[in-house]
């Protein structure tokens, strides 16, 4: 299992739009095949950093998931919303593999 962490640099004046964007992904991402952990908006400290985190079995599964997401009507609408609103200034993806658990059980 891989975990994708998306770091967003958002326009701080468009936090409400980012929250709408995140709630929409909360519906579309699981429907298209990824295990959404959640989206996180700024609260204290930086007003420009936000995160989206989900799990997916492999990079091959990720490619299929991305195609499904791009074809999904709600996914397409959300991509378009972000472009129109210009709320995301930059986004970076990091792929991590969990190597431990909180209690030391095998992963």
């Amino acid at each position: 299992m891989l975990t994708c962490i998306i770091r967003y640099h958002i326009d701080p004046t468009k936090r409400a739009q980012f929250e709408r964007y995140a709630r929409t992904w909360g519906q579309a991402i699981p429907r298209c095949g990824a295990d959404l952990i959640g989206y996180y908006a700024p609260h204290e400290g930086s007003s420009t950093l936000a995160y989206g985190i989900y799990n997916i079995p492999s990079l091959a599964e990720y490619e299929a998931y991305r195609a499904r997401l791009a074809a999904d009507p709600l996914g397409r609408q959300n991509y378009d919303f972000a472009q129109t609103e210009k709320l995301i200034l930059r986004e970076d993806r990091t792929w991590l593999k969990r190597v431990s658990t909180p209690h030391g059980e095998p992963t």
Side-chain angles (χ1 to χ4, degrees):
M1 186 66 65
L2 298 174
T3 299
C4 180
I5 299 177
I6 307 168
R7 181 176 63 180
Y8 295 97
H9 293 264
I10 64 171
D11 181 331
T13 67
K14 297 187 177 184
R15 195 160 114 195
Q17 291 93 326
F18 179 80
E19 289 178 12
R20 174 182 162 188
Y21 171 81
R23 284 190 301 274
T24 302
W25 283 139
Q27 297 172 44
I29 288 172
R31 182 171 64 215
C32 291
D35 174 25
L36 180 64
I37 295 168
Y39 268 76
Y40 301 85
H43 177 70
E44 195 66 35
S46 172
S47 62
T48 60
L49 287 179
Y51 294 88
I53 305 170
Y54 61 88
N55 292 320
I56 198 139
S58 67
L59 289 177
E61 274 295 314
Y62 170 73
E63 293 301 327
Y65 152 78
R66 291 285 293 178
R68 288 188 299 271
L69 197 60
D72 182 82
L74 192 57
R76 183 77 255 144
Q77 178 185 356
N78 214 29
Y79 284 127
D80 293 344
F81 173 74
Q83 293 295 311
T84 301
E85 292 292 320
K86 298 183 183 350
L87 59 110
I88 299 169
L89 305 175
R90 190 173 99 210
E91 81 182 59
D92 304 302
R93 282 180 174 71
T94 299
W95 292 94
L96 302 173
K97 179 180 176 183
R98 185 167 65 174
V99 295
S100 72
T101 64
H103 302 290
E105 296 97 7
T107 57

